[in-house]
Amino acid sequence: MKIEIVIPLFPQFTALDGIGPYEVLQRIPGFDITFIGHERGVVRSDNGMLGIEVDATFEQHPDPDIIVFPGGHGTRALMDDRRVLDWVRNAHETTTFTTSVCTGSLVLAAAGLLDGLTATTHWGALDVLTEHGAIPTGDRVVEHLDRRIITAAGVSSGIDMALRLVEILVDRTAAEASQLMIEYDPQPPFDSGSTSKASEAVVTRVIEYAQHRH
């Protein structure tokens, strides 16, 4: 079994949005993953500190089996990027699944793929989904298997989404094997990973830090 998976990269992407799913998916034999973008070369993450190589352009992968569209501050520019939106629409016509992590779902929404569907994204961008025809939800992973679309919430949720994708594409044992290979057994020292759990002081600090990043 060979499955062609593409992960689009762009300036100011969030690294874990793409690398989290990559680490899950690349463990499965026959899953062939390519990082694609506007042009070949290095693109830098949202804080500029990390660069990752783009190995092919969008046009070189017109009909992938799986799309994993990461998020990051750079997705805002992509929402008006006709080249990217046209590629997403055309590629989705023949994908097995089109997926997103964090604000990657905003690109899917801007391309019209989420019209009338529930979807998720980073908690700070849920309102933008509404503006583009989707129905936002705070769920960590939202599936529309009949429409071949899966969206994941912020950053780390991409790992959960990718594990579920492996289960769908192969079987549960394969997903659990990938989980074990990456030793994904979260036991965080704090319980502040969602807005329903975080204190007001933590939310305020997040907003403060975000202003420094952009």
Side-chain angles (χ1 to χ4, degrees):
M1 176 180 62
K2 180 174 171 127
I3 294 180
E4 180 191 353
I5 302 169
V6 296
I7 302 176
L9 296 181
F10 45 88
Q12 293 188 292
F13 71 96
T14 295
L16 189 60
D17 287 4
I19 297 303
Y22 164 80
E23 282 296 346
V24 171
L25 298 170
Q26 62 97 6
R27 308 282 168 170
I28 307 301
F31 283 21
D32 186 26
I33 304 171
T34 305
F35 289 93
I36 67 172
H38 290 85
E39 59 186 24
R40 296 183 64 173
V42 174
V43 293
R44 306 203 72 82
S45 65
D46 40 18
N47 57 21
M49 297 178 191
L50 175 68
I52 296 183
E53 188 90 12
V54 170
D55 291 320
T57 64
F58 291 106
E59 290 78 13
Q60 288 175 300
H61 289 265
D63 53 0
D65 298 308
I66 305 291
I67 298 171
V68 179
F69 215 115
H73 190 67
T75 55
R76 301 312 195 276
L78 300 185
M79 294 175 73
D80 294 312
D81 188 322
R82 189 57 47 194
R83 177 181 175 189
V84 172
L85 298 182
D86 285 346
W87 175 83
V88 168
R89 290 189 199 100
N90 292 332
H92 176 65
E93 291 181 3
T94 55
T95 59
T96 303
F97 285 102
T98 301
T99 74
S100 66
V101 182
C102 196
T103 55
S105 63
L106 303 186
V107 179
L108 304 192
L113 271 57
L114 304 182
D115 287 353
L117 298 181
T118 54
T120 191
T121 188
H122 188 276
W123 58 267
L126 287 169
D127 58 326
V128 184
L129 282 177
T130 304
E131 295 169 8
H132 288 80
I135 303 167
T137 171
D139 293 345
R140 192 161 172 83
V141 178
V142 178
E143 301 178 4
H144 293 282
L145 301 187
D146 60 326
R147 303 286 286 271
R148 300 174 291 105
I149 288 177
I150 305 176
T151 58
V155 194
S156 64
S157 64
I159 297 173
D160 296 8
M161 186 275 291
L163 288 168
R164 172 62 175 144
L165 196 54
V166 172
E167 180 185 20
I168 296 169
L169 295 172
V170 187
D171 57 31
R172 176 167 177 164
T173 301
E176 291 180 343
S178 185
Q179 180 179 10
L180 180 57
M181 280 190 279
I182 66 171
E183 203 166 343
Y184 180 53
D185 187 24
Q187 299 172 41
F190 313 108
D191 190 21
S192 190
S194 74
T195 53
S196 64
K197 301 175 181 179
S199 68
E200 184 177 344
V202 169
V203 174
T204 299
R205 186 71 63 87
V206 168
I207 295 169
E208 173 190 331
Y209 286 171
Q211 290 170 342
H212 285 280
R213 288 173 67 88
H214 307 310

